[in-house]
Amino acid sequence: MAQPPPVPRSICLLRLSALGDVTHVLPLVDTLRSAWPDVALTWVIGKGEQRLLDGLPGVEFIVYDKQTGLAGMRALRRGLRDRRFDALLQMQVAARANLLSAFIPARRRIGYDRSRSKDLHGLFINERIPDRPGIHVLDAIGSFCEPLGLRPQPVRWEMPVPAEAREWARAQWPEDGRPALLVSPCSSHVRRNWFADRYAAVADHAAAQGWRVVLCGGRSQLERESADAIQAAMSSPALDLVGKDTLKQLPALLERAALVMTPDSGPMHIANAMGTKVLGLHAASNPARSGPYSDRRYCVDRYDDAARKYLGKPAAELKWGTKIEFDGVMELVTVDDAIAAFERCRADHGG
């Protein structure tokens, strides 16, 4: 009989960004820690992503700032001079991450299957995860445990949310029985973003049903301008929390909502991890691959329409993971689509 692989003493995870993708790594961390409570886990991660996950039990974070370029990679190598990991899980195929992985000393270097590889990914690894087309991003990340001899456990998130973050979130609006529709209007991919007047129309519809409308987002100029435009187009009042929360407070804020309306974005996946229902707005990306993992019943899916309009073929004929990020693609998502999704949620959960 074949001998099981030896239990690793140390594993390095490499996933720098983005907020949604590092959220997808949490179930893998849970699988590894459940199987091997004593394994030393080190995660090389981006700055903002580390702020989100700071306090994750049993994980040492090493922050790599992409602004530091090659000098930062050399500094990382110096910091690891006396260490050698039993395995590196190289979970990002971008050129920067591939190059950075070369500065991490590890015996086994596990990366993506050939179909998902790009930017010379294969040169930096010596093992690959199974090739399973048509699966969600989270399931692909979860399969990184398989070359180590494990099977993914049932998906569970342990988002580290401190008590003071939940206290802050509770202080933002009263517990008066009104469900909250939280609108997080911006993705870092601007062609995935919807339009202020359409957000406003859905928000007004929710307000007419007795819901509280809350706007959230970061401190960028785009997010501020988007929130201002939404409020200007609304006939009902909204609670404006854009730029007022920290990355540690964001999960607690999303947790308080009854429903989060957002394009394919980090807040979509954080909300899902916190158990909140998501009204996802999809045309530029495929919700089956990158939508809210646990529940996509309240998503708007115009991905196939986008494929036919912009690429001349149905979505089923596209390579899995194809993005359709064309100017105007989100015009395919209508106000009626989003109101219908909102009403499906309201019918299922009340409010």
Side-chain angles (χ1 to χ4, degrees):
M1 294 180 63
Q3 293 295 315
V7 173
R9 293 166 299 175
S10 61
I11 299 173
C12 182
L13 313 176
L14 174 54
R15 181 76 213 195
L16 300 175
S17 61
L19 295 177
D21 289 310
V22 299
T23 300
H24 288 147
V25 178
L26 293 179
L28 172 64
V29 171
D30 181 66
T31 292
L32 296 173
R33 291 181 62 238
S34 296
W36 302 316
D38 297 326
V39 70
L41 294 180
T42 299
W43 187 339
V44 180
I45 195 169
K47 286 197 306 181
E49 291 74 16
Q50 189 274 334
R51 290 199 300 272
L52 175 69
L53 300 183
D54 184 45
L56 185 64
V59 177
E60 170 201 18
F61 288 108
I62 297 177
V63 174
Y64 172 73
D65 180 356
K66 65 182 181 181
Q67 302 298 328
T68 63
L70 191 59
M73 296 181 188
R74 293 192 181 109
L76 173 72
R77 181 67 185 92
R78 289 193 297 272
L80 297 174
R81 182 181 295 115
D82 299 324
R83 301 169 67 175
R84 186 172 179 82
F85 298 102
D86 290 336
L88 166 67
L89 307 187
Q90 165 45 334
M91 297 179 285
Q92 194 159 353
V93 296
R96 179 188 290 111
N98 287 330
L99 182 57
L100 178 61
S101 73
F103 291 80
I104 299 174
R107 295 177 179 85
R108 303 176 66 185
R109 313 180 73 84
I110 300 168
Y112 282 97
D113 53 273
R114 285 181 173 82
S115 67
R116 293 181 177 86
S117 296
K118 64 179 183 179
D119 291 345
L120 304 178
H121 182 69
L123 298 180
F124 297 89
I125 60 175
N126 54 29
E127 298 180 56
R128 295 181 184 271
I129 62 171
D131 184 359
R132 296 193 185 102
I135 63 175
H136 194 278
V137 171
L138 183 145
D139 291 320
I141 289 174
S143 67
F144 270 83
C145 71
E146 294 185 32
L148 300 174
L150 300 179
R151 299 293 297 176
Q153 297 298 302
V155 169
R156 184 174 68 168
W157 289 270
E158 288 191 25
M159 183 71 70
V161 182
E164 55 268 26
R166 285 192 163 99
E167 291 172 6
W168 177 87
R170 282 194 296 270
Q172 300 313 302
W173 65 83
E175 293 282 1
D176 56 6
R178 294 174 64 195
L181 172 66
L182 193 150
V183 181
S184 179
C186 294
S187 164
S188 58
H189 298 255
V190 294
R191 289 187 176 91
R192 297 180 188 175
N193 291 342
W194 211 30
F195 308 100
D197 60 331
R198 300 190 187 190
Y199 278 122
V202 181
D204 279 336
H205 175 84
Q209 314 312 310
W211 284 48
R212 174 179 281 105
V213 176
V214 181
L215 302 176
C216 83
R219 293 168 173 80
S220 72
Q221 182 178 350
L222 173 63
E223 288 164 298
R224 181 67 266 160
E225 291 175 350
S226 297
D228 290 344
I230 292 168
Q231 290 185 92
M234 287 181 65
S235 58
S236 307
L239 174 60
D240 183 359
L241 297 181
V242 172
K244 296 181 181 178
D245 62 309
T246 67
L247 279 174
K248 293 305 289 182
Q249 293 166 340
L250 176 61
L253 189 65
L254 296 168
E255 184 181 41
R256 278 207 73 194
L259 184 66
V260 173
M261 179 166 57
T262 183
D264 187 352
S265 65
M268 167 183 286
H269 303 297
I270 298 169
N272 178 78
M274 298 304 296
T276 301
K277 301 304 179 186
V278 177
L279 198 173
L281 306 169
H282 294 270
S285 61
N286 185 353
R289 178 186 178 273
S290 60
Y293 183 82
S294 302
D295 192 348
R296 295 189 287 277
R297 288 176 295 169
Y298 313 120
C299 288
V300 176
D301 181 4
R302 290 293 181 181
Y303 182 71
D304 184 68
D305 295 324
R308 294 172 188 272
K309 178 175 180 177
Y310 290 97
L311 301 179
K313 61 180 69 175
E317 295 181 10
L318 300 180
K319 180 182 177 182
W320 189 253
T322 298
K323 306 291 195 306
I324 312 176
E325 294 180 339
F326 288 82
D327 288 340
V329 66
M330 291 299 289
E331 292 177 4
L332 294 169
V333 176
T334 68
V335 170
D336 287 344
D337 288 336
I339 288 177
F342 171 84
E343 288 298 329
R344 289 198 299 275
C345 181
R346 200 162 72 95
D348 288 346
H349 302 284

